[in-house]
Amino acid sequence: MGEVSSQSHCKDTSAPQELRSLMELRGPEALNRIQKSYGDVNGLCARLRTSPVEGLDGSSADINRRKRDFGENTIPPKKPKTFLQLVWEALQDVTLIILEVAAIISLGLSFYRPPDAERQHCGRAAGGVEDEGEAEAGWIEGAAILLSVVCVVLVTAFNDWSKEKQFRGLQSRIEQEQKFTVVRGGQVVQINVTEIVVGDIAQVKYGDLLPADGILIQSNDLKIDESSLTGESDHVKKSVTEDVMMLSGTHVMEGSGKMLVTGVGVNSQTGIIFTLLGASEEGDSDAEEKAEKEKKKKREKEKKKEERKKKEKKDKKSKKDDKGKKGKKKDGANVELQPLNEDEEPDKKKNLPKKEKSVLQGKLTKLAVQIGKAGLLMSTLTVIILITRFLIDTFWIQGVPWASECAPIYVQFLVKFFIIGVTVLVVAVPEGLPLAVTISLAYSVKKMMKDNNLVRHLDACETMGNATAICSDKTGTLTMNRMTVVQAYIAGCFYKEVPEPSKIPAKILDLLILGIGVNCAYTTKIMPPEKEGGLPRQVGNKTECALLGFSLDLRRDYQTIRNETPEEKLFKVYTFNSARKSMSTVLKNHDGSYRMFSKGASEILLKKCCKILIATGEPKDLKPRDRDHLVKKVIEPMASEGLRTICLAYRDFPTADGEPDWDNESHILSGLTCIAVVGIEDPVRPEVPEAIRKCQRAGITVRMVTGDNINTARAIAIKCGILQPGDDFVCMEGKEFNRQIRDELGEIQQERIDKIWPKLRVLARSSPTDKHTLVKGIIDSTVLEKRQVVAVTGDGTNDGPALKKADVGFAMGIAGTDVAKEASDIILTDDNFSSIVKAVMWGRNVYDSISKFLQFQLTVNVVAVIVAFTGACITQDSPLKAVQMLWVNLIMDTFASLALATEPPTEALLLRNPYGRKKPLISRTMMKNILGHAVYQLTLIFILLFLGETLFDIDSGRNAPLHAPPSEHYTIVFNTFVLMQIFNEFNARKIHGERNVFEGVYRNPIFCSIVVGTLVIQVVIVQFGGKPFSCVSLSTDQWLWCVFLGLGSLLWGQLVSSVPTAWLKFLKTAGHGTQQEEIPEEELEEMKDLDAIDHAEMELRRGQVLWCRGLNRIQTQIRVVNAFRDSMSPYKGLETPESRSSIHNFMSHPEFCIEDFEPQIPLIDENEGEDEPPTKRNSIIVPPPLTGLSHLPPLPSTPNQNNNALDRTIPLHKDVPRSGFIPPNSAGLPPCPGSPLHSLETSL
């Protein structure tokens, strides 16, 4: 090693290229190349000036040189959008563009001076401007509108910019948290993934996501999931003799090993694919996590393999989960066949399931569109009425003759009317809604960081508020994950606490300590405490830490054993996995015999033991009777105290028996000799029982899913409060659960799961597949009227599928593997269950914040639109001018969304049950508040508008000519209006009809500062705004009146909340979500290219579909009648019977596109046999000739059926890819009559 380092430090320029070409090879080719070029892996290490045992020396000069020569382990992120780009995007808003155009026309016209003499002939409204200076000021309005547009644009752009910045901060935070274990200077250290350099020796273990490319140096039973690169779902076995290529971005599914890093950053496989796709420049939407992007990119590279896979997968492809799911859900493939990569189905490439906007955003967008439509209607009406009145008044009542020199003046009027119309529209469209959601979510996410929740997908935060069930792991989440051995059964004695070493026969003690030392992963260690007097730090697998701690308690140091038998000397290691539930290490003795040490779950390992060591230190036969005695007297008492029981055993393979067959595991793992059984305690976290009580109070069911045995699980569940004494809830083992949910053929039946899950509270000895099955079963269940929203916690690699399937997946930040974090939505940085309760609180808070904002916003909308509309119609001029409207818009949109969306959550949020997914955003109570306050505000404003001049004894502002100076009258109207909004903002803080609207207002500094700030700016606008804002300064008592009328809205609010909502049955609720099943399948098709389903576009598109429908109905009726008249052949004009014999043929007509006609009946899920109304079964539709026809019209359904069932048009796209869903169990059989599939086919 020394000679190598002392070679000249000149850089080997070919090295990066050479390594890169080496990494392109696979399997045997790569081994040949290594042997040819370097001799062996050690030769390659020498060439890279590193040692396979000691690693790099870790000096910063060396590290920096490597970074310079071989690159850093980062992939350059795409450049963030500049502020100017964001400004440009904000300018794309249609309403703003209309306003800009109007303002520019208005500006242009105001500079045009017609000859003065003719002014009087152009009608009354045009004349009457005596003061020349006033006419000069005509440009101000146009300029002011432009200015306020600039304000709106800057605010929007700034919001977007800060949102992006926050997201990048989060991104880098996630990246910083990713550490990896390498050997430097002979020490095992954890470093940031970005710090890894070529030449590092990295230790890989179960659950890692490989951060760089490398060559394997040493491995134990290593299996890797390379599906993210190749799309092949089988795990690839890696070993020094067969396949040594370790590729970045792949997941370690089993085993452990060491690798020499040979490619980092842009030179690694992931990086190469990134650069190929130019991801560094454009990338997809910022919100996609980097890793998700990587997966997509890699998949493209491997398209050819996928084509082949796709054919095999055809039969397993399953229908996308249609329950209005969030977009992160993937097609649930047959999990048993594909343990982890159900999310990585190759056919995903073709037709990624649409990432539906979250439930909340869906409801909001729909609502916004509806409000927008209403606003558009009102503004068009306003403009039409204004123009009509002007024309009638001027040309008919006054009888003014048309004069061409008056045209510019008339145009000025038209522009003025147009601007008024546009401002009505601007006020009506709640563009603050998306802003409010974003602010609320971003704010929550930032604050949730402090509560130990690192949110990876924004919408997970809000979904969490709807959660109805939490499936939690036991170890580490409910318990402290600080394991200690507290009881032991050694040499025939049962010790209730750790025995003195002197009490144990020396022979047994030596065996025990040796077994613990070599048969625990070498990455697991016990470190001295960080603080004086603290507990020792446990690093690595906590169960193994407990055993190592046990050997220290017996005053023996495990490290000396490890130094005597370093990892390289271990002959073979069978690593722990969820199938084996045990771990074994084989040592080779000097005489050629072998000794194997095993440890694992006691009830499993004891069955494989045939002997047990007794007090003399000799083995004695273990008969079935003795074994049962051991279980009853030792294991069950330990388990009932909530201890995890581990059995330690060994086996000798003498030379006489010849070389054992190491691959025959069942044979190797038999005939063991039991050394000891230990009980490991993992105390329940002190704050968990309280957190679980809160969940239950909030209507959330907590279930424990654990791999531990049922007695331990039950004991811990009782300690946590998941089970109360006297409840009739069920605890079940995974085996039993599987037996009960499967039918005779071993298929999982949803209705069987439905019988179990409502009562199930503890699932013990469960495999990851059981966890996934349970989660899927609860989500797909239709037993309760509300669909269950399930959150799941997981830490292991094998929890990936369950985390992905759940509505919200929580991964453990400390104990979690990279794979689990990758699949999750929220990472719990402290692994603590009580942080989940915080997430629920924040999620509910987001929902409430949006509702508060809506309540405020809609009140202002209703009032402003009605005032502008009636004012315009009666007085020919809107009482609120364009610029004033824009200011009001700014208050209600941007500022209110900031003020109301940042309310901190209170414990009170946990005192109600979750809102369902279908609950409207605007409840009856809110509707009552909105309309109640609108009545108050409208009454006041109309009184001021039509009687204000007499009440305040001022000049009337109505019927002022063009460019007239602002009047006190209209200023008072504007001022009162704004003050009422400011005070109504307090009322909006409560949406469930609470009395005290000021409660907790000091806890929200943002709210207070915004209210005060708005007040100050309002004073400035009124007193000094002058012509641009059409204001005159008011006297003190006028101000006091305005403030008094504004304060009135607080008192009125008390009156409104006194009216019981129950009386107001006639009030409608608004803002229901669009369920995914309401979206016709072919519309999903068209939306393939969009990033997310946009419910607004859906609304608009539906309008276009409607008018085709009437026409189509008639055509269909005619065609059906003709078909039946044609009695020559029963099938003439219909599909031939063969084409219906199997759904595969049906599918091979790409023109058809199955659509989910009956959202209630899952197309597949396992219940194939649901009967349908017989009428539906026989409905027959003639497929139209596939020529120029654009639609396949639906049959007018029979009268006794719900008419909407078939009420959708199906566009025929010639180019629709074959994405029909093919259920797994319809391999080639025709679907049985009466199954949903059959009826669906026939109805098509």
Side-chain angles (χ1 to χ4, degrees):
M1 180 67 204
E3 327 67 342
V4 184
S5 309
S6 57
Q7 292 167 359
S8 62
H9 266 330
C10 67
K11 177 189 163 191
D12 186 351
T13 41
S14 64
Q17 263 31 62
E18 200 178 307
L19 287 174
R20 209 166 137 166
S21 64
L22 171 64
M23 293 314 290
E24 299 282 297
L25 304 174
R26 299 283 176 271
E29 300 172 23
L31 280 168
N32 294 340
R33 164 76 68 88
I34 293 174
Q35 278 164 2
K36 213 163 68 195
S37 312
Y38 312 105
D40 63 354
V41 181
N42 293 339
L44 181 57
C45 288
R47 185 76 186 275
L48 287 170
R49 306 195 188 120
T50 177
S51 143
V53 184
E54 298 283 313
L56 296 175
D57 58 5
S59 69
S60 52
D62 182 39
I63 302 291
N64 291 335
R65 200 182 72 249
R66 286 174 191 274
K67 280 187 181 170
R68 198 178 61 238
D69 294 354
F70 297 103
E72 297 195 28
N73 195 19
T74 49
I75 292 168
K78 63 169 189 161
K79 291 192 189 68
K81 285 183 180 150
T82 58
F83 190 68
L84 286 174
Q85 280 170 309
L86 292 169
V87 168
W88 176 245
E89 278 175 22
L91 278 170
Q92 309 299 311
D93 187 16
V94 187
T95 34
L96 287 181
I97 293 175
I98 301 176
L99 266 183
E100 288 154 24
V101 173
I104 291 168
I105 298 177
S106 154
L107 264 180
L109 286 173
S110 66
F111 291 122
Y112 175 82
R113 288 264 84 66
D116 217 28
E118 278 84 10
R119 268 200 95 111
Q120 303 310 323
H121 313 312
C122 298
R124 212 176 347 187
V129 182
E130 294 80 25
D131 185 356
E132 193 46 45
E134 285 300 343
E136 292 295 311
W139 62 273
I140 290 184
E141 186 171 33
I145 292 179
L146 281 181
L147 191 69
S148 44
V149 165
V150 167
C151 273
V152 172
V153 166
L154 286 177
V155 168
T156 319
F158 179 72
N159 273 317
D160 286 347
W161 179 78
S162 58
K163 184 174 80 183
E164 182 147 330
K165 197 169 121 228
Q166 248 177 354
F167 181 77
R168 285 187 181 280
L170 180 71
Q171 190 70 26
S172 63
R173 162 104 191 244
I174 291 176
E175 278 167 14
Q176 275 160 17
E177 297 228 324
Q178 208 188 354
K179 297 255 199 290
F180 210 78
T181 316
V182 296
V183 179
R184 283 194 180 167
Q187 290 295 314
V188 178
V189 287
Q190 290 228 326
I191 59 170
N192 256 337
V193 166
T194 46
E195 290 297 309
I196 293 177
V197 292
V198 171
D200 258 325
I201 304 294
Q203 291 199 341
V204 294
K205 58 178 188 312
Y206 158 83
D208 283 339
L209 176 78
L210 297 186
D213 288 355
I215 305 278
L216 195 61
I217 302 178
Q218 178 255 325
S219 73
N220 303 322
D221 209 1
L222 192 61
K223 288 199 181 133
I224 301 238
D225 171 14
E226 293 190 349
S227 58
S228 52
L229 278 176
T230 61
E232 300 287 343
S233 58
D234 301 336
H235 297 167
V236 185
K237 214 170 152 122
K238 300 279 177 187
S239 67
V240 187
T241 50
E242 290 151 32
D243 186 354
V244 291
M245 305 315 265
M246 309 282 280
L247 308 174
S248 62
T250 57
H251 293 138
V252 182
M253 299 308 283
E254 246 181 68
S256 60
K258 277 188 185 173
M259 71 173 194
L260 163 72
V261 177
T262 55
V264 293
V266 277
N267 292 318
S268 67
Q269 291 306 302
T270 312
I272 293 170
I273 293 165
F274 252 95
T275 30
L276 276 180
L277 285 142
S280 328
E281 289 83 56
E282 61 331 84
D284 34 313
S285 87
D286 355 8
E288 281 292 339
E289 295 294 342
K290 236 191 200 166
E292 279 175 34
K293 267 197 299 204
E294 288 170 22
K295 278 186 199 157
K296 275 191 210 130
K297 310 288 187 213
K298 291 171 196 153
R299 276 195 211 110
E300 299 199 6
K301 192 176 181 201
E302 302 290 343
K303 233 180 192 159
K304 293 193 183 51
K305 281 191 189 159
E306 286 166 21
E307 299 287 275
R308 189 179 74 242
K309 290 286 286 185
K310 197 171 167 193
K311 289 195 181 62
E312 303 160 14
K313 282 260 173 71
K314 253 295 165 38
D315 332 320
K316 319 199 274 254
K317 197 172 23 153
S318 65
K319 180 179 180 311
K320 192 170 84 220
D321 194 357
D322 62 354
K323 303 268 183 205
K325 285 291 296 274
K326 306 204 322 276
K328 60 163 199 120
K329 307 300 165 250
K330 310 297 194 245
D331 306 22
N334 237 344
V335 190
E336 282 79 358
L337 299 176
Q338 298 161 291
L340 185 75
N341 26 324
E342 55 154 349
D343 56 317
E344 290 164 354
E345 282 237 41
D347 29 14
K348 271 261 306 298
K349 190 58 219 84
K350 304 291 168 294
N351 190 2
L352 287 158
K354 290 269 63 70
K355 190 169 181 68
E356 183 176 355
K357 288 186 180 163
S358 69
V359 185
L360 181 65
Q361 274 171 317
K363 290 179 183 175
L364 280 175
T365 326
K366 206 169 167 185
L367 192 67
V369 170
Q370 288 162 345
I371 298 173
K373 282 181 182 167
L376 195 61
L377 189 73
M378 293 294 274
S379 60
T380 324
L381 265 175
T382 314
V383 176
I384 293 172
I385 292 175
L386 282 171
I387 293 177
T388 325
R389 274 200 57 167
F390 172 73
L391 294 177
I392 294 176
D393 186 49
T394 309
F395 294 115
W396 190 24
I397 300 178
Q398 296 178 34
V400 178
W402 170 262
S404 57
E405 63 267 22
C406 287
I409 292 179
Y410 297 149
V411 173
Q412 261 176 333
F413 270 103
L414 284 183
V415 170
K416 179 180 160 188
F417 297 152
F418 183 61
I419 288 180
I420 290 171
V422 172
T423 28
V424 172
L425 178 64
V426 168
V427 173
V429 173
E431 62 273 37
L433 269 183
L435 186 69
V437 180
T438 315
I439 290 178
S440 182
L441 284 174
Y443 172 76
S444 305
V445 165
K446 207 168 175 171
K447 289 279 191 234
M448 281 167 82
M449 285 278 208
K450 292 198 177 72
D451 286 337
N452 303 311
N453 283 296
L454 199 154
V455 182
R456 294 181 65 227
H457 300 125
L458 270 184
D459 51 6
C461 167
E462 159 254 325
T463 312
M464 206 46 221
N466 285 328
T468 56
I470 298 175
C471 294
S472 169
D473 271 356
K474 176 179 77 69
T475 310
T477 316
L478 300 174
T479 58
M480 289 169 80
N481 208 3
R482 245 209 95 77
M483 306 222 188
T484 41
V485 172
V486 287
Q487 298 185 5
Y489 176 84
I490 307 178
C493 294
F494 185 7
Y495 299 98
K496 287 289 189 181
E497 58 249 359
V498 179
E500 284 294 314
S502 53
K503 293 187 181 165
I504 304 173
K507 192 172 165 191
I508 296 184
L509 189 59
D510 292 341
L511 259 179
L512 183 65
I513 303 298
L514 176 63
I516 291 177
V518 297
N519 194 26
C520 286
Y522 279 37
T523 47
T524 305
K525 340 187 229 317
I526 293 191
M527 313 279 278
E530 282 173 348
K531 293 195 281 292
E532 274 298 306
L535 292 165
R537 278 184 308 151
Q538 300 188 336
V539 182
N541 181 317
K542 299 293 190 269
T543 314
E544 296 186 338
C545 286
L547 292 171
L548 295 176
F550 180 50
S551 89
L552 294 175
D553 290 342
L554 295 170
R555 308 200 191 107
R556 294 292 197 91
D557 185 10
Y558 63 87
Q559 198 52 56
T560 48
I561 290 171
R562 288 188 171 181
N563 296 342
E564 284 162 20
T565 11
E567 205 167 0
E568 293 73 47
K569 282 205 189 153
L570 301 180
F571 179 75
K572 183 162 183 59
V573 179
Y574 296 96
T575 49
F576 181 89
N577 64 22
S578 52
R580 284 191 192 123
K581 289 230 186 282
S582 66
M583 170 176 175
S584 311
T585 303
V586 184
L587 300 177
K588 190 167 187 175
N589 302 332
H590 301 302
D591 59 357
S593 62
Y594 299 97
R595 172 168 282 179
M596 175 179 80
F597 289 102
S598 297
K599 67 167 192 293
S602 54
E603 62 263 49
I604 294 175
L605 217 53
L606 268 183
K607 292 197 181 108
K608 316 233 166 111
C609 290
C610 63
K611 295 194 172 119
I612 185 163
L613 296 179
I614 52 167
T616 55
E618 296 307 317
K620 153 181 171 264
D621 284 349
L622 185 67
K623 300 193 176 66
R625 202 179 62 237
D626 306 334
R627 189 179 296 138
D628 294 343
H629 178 78
L630 201 62
V631 169
K632 285 226 168 25
K633 289 283 175 281
V634 177
I635 292 172
E636 282 178 6
M638 281 185 183
S640 61
E641 291 177 39
L643 303 185
R644 169 180 278 194
T645 57
I646 299 284
C647 173
L648 302 161
Y650 78 103
R651 177 180 177 186
D652 285 324
F653 296 97
T655 34
D657 300 356
E659 184 80 8
D661 172 11
W662 296 113
D663 291 337
N664 181 356
E665 266 184 58
S666 53
H667 172 64
I668 298 283
L669 256 190
S670 61
L672 305 176
T673 306
C674 171
I675 306 173
V677 175
V678 292
I680 296 179
E681 182 186 41
D682 187 6
V684 171
R685 287 174 182 267
E687 61 276 19
V688 162
E690 172 62 11
I692 286 182
R693 234 192 30 256
K694 282 183 189 163
C695 281
Q696 289 163 341
R697 176 73 202 74
I700 302 171
T701 311
V702 183
R703 292 182 175 81
M704 180 203 286
V705 183
T706 174
D708 253 353
N709 78 38
I710 192 155
N711 298 331
T712 310
R714 189 184 287 122
I716 299 268
I718 290 170
K719 282 184 193 168
C720 292
I722 293 177
L723 296 174
Q724 253 83 34
D727 288 346
D728 63 338
F729 292 131
V730 183
C731 297
M732 196 178 270
E733 287 205 339
K735 258 204 196 90
E736 177 61 15
F737 174 70
N738 267 312
R739 205 180 53 72
Q740 292 196 20
I741 61 173
R742 293 174 192 274
D743 57 14
E744 299 70 53
L745 303 170
E747 296 286 325
I748 294 174
Q749 294 293 349
Q750 180 67 41
E751 56 268 28
R752 290 186 175 216
I753 298 183
D754 288 346
K755 288 199 187 91
I756 298 175
W757 73 257
K759 288 255 162 110
L760 184 70
R761 286 295 177 275
V762 175
L763 188 59
R765 277 279 172 253
S766 65
S767 68
T769 336
D770 297 340
K771 194 174 191 174
H772 180 273
T773 311
L774 178 67
V775 173
K776 182 175 185 306
I778 296 179
I779 288 179
D780 293 349
S781 171
T782 47
V783 182
L784 307 179
E785 70 283 3
K786 276 189 190 168
R787 155 154 134 54
Q788 296 283 306
V789 178
V790 183
V792 167
T793 68
D795 50 8
T797 308
N798 39 28
D799 291 329
L803 288 171
K804 273 221 162 57
K805 177 74 191 155
D807 296 279
V808 182
F810 287 90
M812 302 295 139
I814 304 168
T817 57
D818 296 343
V819 183
K821 291 180 188 173
E822 198 61 32
S824 68
D825 303 290
I826 298 180
I827 296 174
L828 293 179
T829 48
D830 63 345
D831 288 15
N832 193 338
F833 185 83
S834 59
S835 305
I836 299 179
V837 182
K838 297 261 177 52
V840 172
M841 222 153 78
W842 277 108
R844 293 186 173 188
N845 191 49
V846 167
Y847 206 94
D848 281 8
S849 298
I850 305 298
S851 295
K852 290 171 190 174
F853 170 68
L854 270 174
Q855 180 171 303
F856 175 70
Q857 162 109 31
L858 292 178
T859 316
V860 190
N861 268 4
V862 171
V863 177
V865 171
I866 294 179
V867 167
F869 177 68
T870 40
C873 302
I874 298 170
T875 64
Q876 277 215 26
D877 182 9
S878 167
L880 298 172
K881 298 290 179 288
V883 181
Q884 295 174 348
M885 289 277 231
L886 282 168
W887 163 235
V888 169
N889 205 31
L890 201 67
I891 296 181
M892 38 176 239
D893 276 353
T894 312
F895 293 156
S897 60
L898 258 173
L900 291 167
T902 53
E903 290 270 307
T906 58
E907 289 282 332
L909 289 167
L910 293 174
L911 298 179
R912 59 170 175 75
N913 283 351
Y915 295 142
R917 288 178 90 88
K918 297 214 169 63
K919 177 171 187 306
L921 272 174
I922 299 173
S923 60
R924 263 209 188 96
T925 315
M926 288 167 63
M927 212 52 154
K928 175 186 75 177
N929 293 345
I930 291 170
L931 296 177
H933 285 292
V935 168
Y936 170 78
Q937 298 188 4
L938 284 171
T939 319
L940 273 186
I941 283 180
F942 284 138
I943 290 175
L944 287 178
L945 194 55
F946 297 111
L947 304 172
E949 67 270 32
T950 46
L951 292 175
F952 285 104
D953 193 23
I954 44 178
D955 296 335
S956 165
R958 297 193 298 280
N959 300 328
L962 196 65
H963 302 320
S967 62
E968 281 186 33
H969 181 192
Y970 273 14
T971 308
I972 288 178
V973 173
F974 165 61
N975 197 19
T976 311
F977 178 66
V978 171
L979 288 172
M980 283 195 293
Q981 300 326 327
I982 292 176
F983 287 110
N984 192 29
E985 212 160 324
F986 286 99
N987 284 326
R989 290 184 65 241
K990 299 290 176 223
I991 50 175
H992 297 298
E994 295 93 333
R995 286 250 172 238
N996 178 5
V997 292
F998 294 105
E999 184 195 356
V1001 77
Y1002 303 116
R1003 287 214 311 273
N1004 189 355
I1006 302 182
F1007 182 86
C1008 302
S1009 49
I1010 282 180
V1011 170
V1012 173
T1014 330
L1015 262 172
V1016 171
I1017 300 176
Q1018 179 61 18
V1019 174
V1020 173
I1021 287 178
V1022 173
Q1023 296 304 84
F1024 311 107
K1027 189 79 172 84
F1029 281 96
S1030 319
C1031 288
V1032 226
S1033 53
L1034 299 177
S1035 63
T1036 316
D1037 41 348
Q1038 285 168 336
W1039 260 103
L1040 286 173
W1041 271 107
C1042 293
V1043 172
F1044 169 69
L1045 294 173
L1047 273 169
S1049 63
L1050 286 173
L1051 302 169
W1052 178 258
Q1054 293 302 313
L1055 191 68
V1056 171
S1057 55
S1058 308
V1059 178
T1061 315
W1063 296 357
L1064 307 170
K1065 282 277 183 281
F1066 58 88
L1067 284 184
K1068 288 268 179 290
T1069 53
H1072 302 263
T1074 312
Q1075 297 318 100
Q1076 176 114 22
E1077 59 258 43
E1078 289 168 24
I1079 302 176
E1081 208 55 70
E1082 75 285 359
E1083 291 192 12
L1084 278 175
E1085 284 296 321
E1086 291 166 25
M1087 294 190 278
K1088 264 217 282 305
D1089 345 332
L1090 308 180
D1091 281 349
I1093 292 174
D1094 189 339
H1095 292 272
E1097 291 188 14
M1098 304 263 331
E1099 281 291 306
L1100 304 173
R1101 184 165 309 144
R1102 209 154 278 167
Q1104 302 161 6
V1105 169
L1106 277 169
W1107 65 273
C1108 308
R1109 204 174 276 168
L1111 180 72
N1112 284 331
R1113 285 244 163 125
I1114 299 165
Q1115 289 178 350
T1116 319
Q1117 280 163 338
I1118 296 169
R1119 209 177 296 128
V1120 171
V1121 171
N1122 287 346
F1124 281 120
R1125 244 189 236 142
D1126 234 347
S1127 52
M1128 313 231 326
S1129 142
Y1131 288 108
K1132 189 152 183 186
L1134 283 167
E1135 347 155 55
T1136 56
E1138 298 83 276
S1139 75
R1140 288 211 13 240
S1141 65
S1142 117
I1143 189 153
H1144 281 264
N1145 291 340
F1146 186 69
M1147 278 307 160
S1148 56
H1149 297 302
E1151 296 83 18
F1152 291 92
C1153 182
I1154 284 207
E1155 167 189 1
D1156 195 353
F1157 283 115
E1158 283 276 274
Q1160 287 71 32
I1161 297 176
L1163 242 189
I1164 36 154
D1165 271 352
E1166 284 61 20
N1167 41 0
E1168 248 349 22
E1170 283 186 32
D1171 266 327
E1172 292 263 76
T1175 43
K1176 172 79 83 58
R1177 205 175 298 162
N1178 309 329
S1179 55
I1180 298 172
I1181 286 190
V1182 191
L1186 299 172
T1187 47
L1189 254 178
S1190 65
H1191 284 81
L1192 159 58
L1195 218 196
S1197 31
T1198 35
N1200 65 341
Q1201 266 179 281
N1202 169 358
N1203 214 16
N1204 300 338
L1206 292 158
D1207 204 21
R1208 297 250 175 80
T1209 47
I1210 305 184
L1212 287 173
H1213 297 299
K1214 294 281 184 284
D1215 53 341
V1216 171
R1218 293 174 47 179
S1219 68
F1221 296 113
I1222 296 178
N1225 37 5
S1226 68
L1229 308 162
C1232 53
S1235 74
L1237 273 173
H1238 178 273
S1239 58
L1240 205 98
E1241 251 188 80
T1242 3
S1243 40
L1244 270 176

